Amino acid sequence: MMDTYTTPTGITVRVGQLWTDDVYRQDARVIQVVEIAEPHTDYKGAVRCTVTYRVVAEGGTARALTRTKTIDAARLTDPRLYRLVEEVR
């Protein structure tokens, strides 16, 4: 597992970062990066990196820590879908 991963577009994902999953709504979910897997190459030759996250707030209300889910790092850093809320150093 890794602490950081930089996507091919140059965006760095770090464990502990908070992202929102809807850039157009104020009451969107807030997700926290929990774990970053080692990058691998898929069958088409593209480099993929799986990020594990959990939802920490929804609709402006904090949530009890829930189960974790995964997402591809390239999708998480797509500015049309997700936005970084809090950076971690």
Side-chain angles (χ1 to χ4, degrees):
M1 297 298 153
M2 303 167 41
D3 291 333
T4 64
Y5 172 73
T6 302
T7 65
T9 59
I11 300 172
T12 301
V13 177
R14 291 182 176 84
V15 170
Q17 281 180 329
L18 298 177
W19 293 78
T20 183
D21 70 345
D22 189 333
V23 297
Y24 304 107
R25 291 185 7 216
Q26 292 293 84
D27 61 343
R29 296 184 312 163
V30 175
I31 61 177
Q32 180 182 37
V33 176
V34 176
E35 188 176 80
I36 302 171
E38 292 291 330
H40 64 280
T41 304
D42 68 10
Y43 71 97
K44 293 183 178 180
V47 176
R48 300 285 180 200
C49 182
T50 302
V51 173
T52 303
Y53 70 91
R54 65 179 164 220
V55 177
V56 295
E58 188 167 9
T61 305
R63 288 183 52 178
L65 298 181
T66 59
R67 65 189 166 124
T68 59
K69 299 178 183 179
T70 60
I71 189 171
D72 185 71
R75 183 169 175 80
L76 176 63
T77 58
D78 184 338
R80 297 170 296 174
L81 304 173
Y82 293 87
R83 176 176 47 87
L84 181 63
V85 175
E86 184 177 310
E87 180 63 80
V88 186
R89 299 273 173 206

